[in-house]
Amino acid sequence: MSSEEDKITRISIEPEKQSLLDHHTEKHFTAGEIVRDIIIGVSDGLTVPFALAAGLSGANASSSIVLTAGIAEVAAGAISMGLGGYLAAKSEADHYAREMKREQEEIVAVPETEAAEVAEILAQYGIEPHEYSPVVNALRKNPQAWLDFMMRFELGLEKPDPKRALQSAFTIAIAYVLGGFVPLFPYMFIPQALDAVVASVVITLLALFIFGYGKGHFTGSKPFRSAFETAFIGAIASAAAFCLAKVVQH
Amino acid sequence: MSSEEDKITRISIEPEKQSLLDHHTEKHFTAGEIVRDIIIGVSDGLTVPFALAAGLSGANASSSIVLTAGIAEVAAGAISMGLGGYLAAKSEADHYAREMKREQEEIVAVPETEAAEVAEILAQYGIEPHEYSPVVNALRKNPQAWLDFMMRFELGLEKPDPKRALQSAFTIAIAYVLGGFVPLFPYMFIPQALDAVVASVVITLLALFIFGYGKGHFTGSKPFRSAFETAFIGAIASAAAFCLAKVVQH
């Protein structure tokens, strides 16, 4: 919303309606983008290194090998998710800029078609031509507002914040590293992997449960259900890794 | 858009405008959701198992250990991303349903406030009260259309397709597995990991380059730039894994 506010002078709405907006706060939940990135990073960070370590332990590797593999995987995963997320965000920003340029050109070159598109958007909501025509004409007189309207309501694109790409990358990468160290921690102190794995399983399933609960709380889902689902994914992933590792080792 | 079309009878727009829409095709790029999921799965699948295998090879593990770790990681990663993605999509569907229920209640309980919100949305585009009032009144007479309008234009939420959650999960998981097997393939036939890693590096950097090119093509970015970026992430991730594995092994 803020991009439109930046670009367009707010025309005051009728005072009676404005007071209704001031006095009635609607509580719609919106998870912060940073919380979302932390959830993305920790979800995979807690799960994959845990399962890898458990699988290798079951295949009789030493704690030393498990740690080597685990730390290598955490580094690789953090870089892949972090850098990958950064490039994806930059790509979305480029996409937005390209689409905006194209809309801008079309507003100048084929205004009748663009006006027809505005009409089509509003007509979907049962609004008749004589009701939406003043709106279409008002937009036609204000090219910047028209452009923003098309970006938002025809293409459904929000203007991306340039700082977000870097912030998102670091958040996900750091969250992945922090998540990944939880299951690997016991292997740093217990040389027998088959002993360390017991501690790792206990610590990590607990961490997954707590994290899942927090995730449910922040996203507005049932926290306990989220806790069990998150721990369940970790259990399934590690069971699969465990079995496959034994198969590969014969 | 299709959700609104499902729910609301399309009112015909003026014939002159309709013909303009028919004859002028706008080419706005939209990457399919399936393509997006394949990109997500293959991106991480090509990168992380590759880096893990390269790291372990550099730390003098045998091809057998590398394969064990690699296959365990691919299984764990596919499950974490697939199941995680599935639950995230279900969570979004629940979120949409909750928000829609809340909007529906507000339309009944505090229609003046909801009408004021419609006015506020349109006022942001420089549309005056006398121009948007007919639209607001038209929506007030059509509660289903009003609800869809608020979901789309106030909350910016699209109705999620229930099939998508499962489809997305399988696509990402399978893409991750297929991506992961590319770098692990040489280790199945070359028992010395330090020999296998050479083949793995060549095959995987090539695969990353080609995949990055395709990704750029599908997302409308510069394909060669995307190719280099994607291969670069793989190179960085494997270099980091290689160095850290050596450090852990002393």
Side-chain angles (χ1 to χ4, degrees):
Chain A
M1 281 276 205
S2 60
S3 59
E4 282 93 40
E5 289 172 36
D6 286 348
K7 292 182 190 166
I8 307 170
T9 310
R10 280 290 283 274
I11 311 285
S12 303
I13 64 172
E14 298 156 20
E16 178 196 27
K17 287 183 174 157
Q18 182 65 56
S19 73
L20 277 166
L21 289 166
D22 293 337
H23 294 170
H24 174 94
T25 3
E26 293 196 27
K27 294 163 64 176
H28 289 280
F29 175 79
T30 42
E33 301 232 336
I34 293 181
V35 170
R36 188 207 69 173
D37 287 338
I38 292 174
I39 287 174
I40 288 172
V42 175
S43 285
D44 279 344
L46 268 179
T47 303
V48 181
F50 164 56
L52 172 62
L56 283 174
S57 302
N60 281 320
S62 64
S63 283
S64 169
I65 293 277
V66 172
L67 256 188
T68 306
I71 289 174
E73 198 282 338
V74 168
I79 289 169
S80 179
M81 292 187 80
L83 257 181
Y86 173 76
L87 290 176
K90 297 281 276 177
S91 168
E92 273 182 45
D94 291 346
H95 175 65
Y96 182 92
R98 272 195 312 273
E99 293 294 307
M100 189 163 85
K101 187 161 174 285
R102 195 203 305 272
E103 276 304 312
Q104 206 155 19
E105 286 162 6
E106 283 166 352
I107 279 174
V108 169
V110 285
E112 289 302 323
T113 309
E114 294 300 303
E117 284 174 359
V118 176
E120 193 185 13
I121 290 166
L122 294 172
Q124 287 182 338
Y125 298 94
I127 302 167
E128 308 251 341
H130 70 273
E131 290 164 330
Y132 62 61
S133 291
V135 170
V136 176
N137 291 333
L139 286 174
R140 292 189 71 159
K141 284 184 271 184
N142 188 343
Q144 186 58 56
W146 195 4
L147 177 64
D148 290 324
F149 186 94
M150 299 311 286
M151 292 305 289
R152 175 110 181 272
F153 297 150
E154 189 205 3
L155 303 178
L157 298 176
E158 295 276 347
K159 185 172 157 78
D161 181 347
K163 292 194 308 297
R164 277 297 302 149
L166 208 56
Q167 191 182 48
S168 189
F170 272 112
T171 310
I172 293 178
I174 290 167
Y176 191 88
V177 170
L178 293 176
F181 267 105
V182 170
L184 296 180
F185 190 69
Y187 296 91
M188 299 179 190
F189 302 104
I190 305 171
Q192 291 295 333
L194 283 170
D195 298 331
V197 75
V198 176
S200 180
V201 166
V202 171
I203 292 174
T204 310
L205 285 182
L206 190 64
L208 282 166
F209 194 85
I210 294 170
F211 166 71
Y213 187 91
K215 186 170 62 163
H217 173 77
F218 272 106
T219 60
S221 316
K222 301 187 178 82
F224 272 111
R225 185 173 91 173
S226 175
F228 278 109
E229 283 172 348
T230 308
F232 178 71
I233 296 178
I236 294 276
S238 58
F242 193 88
C243 295
L244 278 167
K246 283 215 177 279
V247 163
V248 173
Q249 285 279 314
H250 303 297
Chain B
M1 283 276 204
S2 59
S3 59
E4 283 91 39
E5 289 171 36
D6 286 348
K7 290 181 191 171
I8 306 168
T9 310
R10 279 291 283 271
I11 310 286
S12 302
I13 65 172
E14 296 154 23
E16 178 196 27
K17 287 182 174 158
Q18 182 65 56
S19 73
L20 277 165
L21 289 167
D22 293 337
H23 293 171
H24 176 94
T25 2
E26 292 195 28
K27 294 163 65 174
H28 289 280
F29 175 79
T30 42
E33 301 232 335
I34 292 182
V35 170
R36 188 207 69 173
D37 287 338
I38 291 173
I39 287 174
I40 289 171
V42 174
S43 286
D44 279 344
L46 269 179
T47 304
V48 181
F50 165 56
L52 172 62
L56 283 174
S57 302
N60 280 320
S62 65
S63 282
S64 169
I65 292 279
V66 172
L67 255 188
T68 306
I71 289 175
E73 198 281 337
V74 168
I79 289 170
S80 179
M81 292 187 80
L83 257 181
Y86 174 76
L87 290 175
K90 296 281 274 177
S91 168
E92 273 182 44
D94 290 345
H95 175 66
Y96 183 92
R98 273 194 311 271
E99 294 293 308
M100 188 163 85
K101 188 161 172 285
R102 194 203 305 272
E103 276 304 312
Q104 206 155 18
E105 286 161 5
E106 284 166 353
I107 280 173
V108 170
V110 284
E112 288 303 322
T113 309
E114 294 299 304
E117 284 173 0
V118 177
E120 191 185 15
I121 290 168
L122 293 172
Q124 287 183 339
Y125 298 95
I127 303 166
E128 309 250 342
H130 71 272
E131 291 164 332
Y132 62 61
S133 289
V135 170
V136 177
N137 292 332
L139 286 174
R140 292 189 69 159
K141 284 183 272 185
N142 189 341
Q144 186 58 55
W146 195 4
L147 176 63
D148 290 324
F149 186 94
M150 299 310 285
M151 291 304 290
R152 176 111 182 273
F153 296 148
E154 189 206 2
L155 302 179
L157 297 175
E158 295 275 346
K159 185 173 156 78
D161 181 347
K163 293 194 306 296
R164 277 295 303 150
L166 207 56
Q167 190 181 53
S168 188
F170 272 113
T171 309
I172 293 178
I174 289 169
Y176 192 88
V177 169
L178 292 177
F181 268 106
V182 169
L184 296 180
F185 191 68
Y187 296 91
M188 299 179 189
F189 302 103
I190 305 170
Q192 290 297 331
L194 282 169
D195 298 331
V197 73
V198 176
S200 181
V201 166
V202 171
I203 292 174
T204 309
L205 286 181
L206 190 65
L208 283 165
F209 194 86
I210 294 170
F211 166 72
Y213 187 92
K215 186 170 62 163
H217 173 76
F218 273 106
T219 59
S221 316
K222 300 189 178 83
F224 272 111
R225 186 172 91 171
S226 175
F228 278 108
E229 283 171 351
T230 307
F232 178 72
I233 296 178
I236 295 275
S238 57
F242 193 87
C243 295
L244 277 167
K246 284 215 178 277
V247 163
V248 173
Q249 285 280 315
H250 305 295

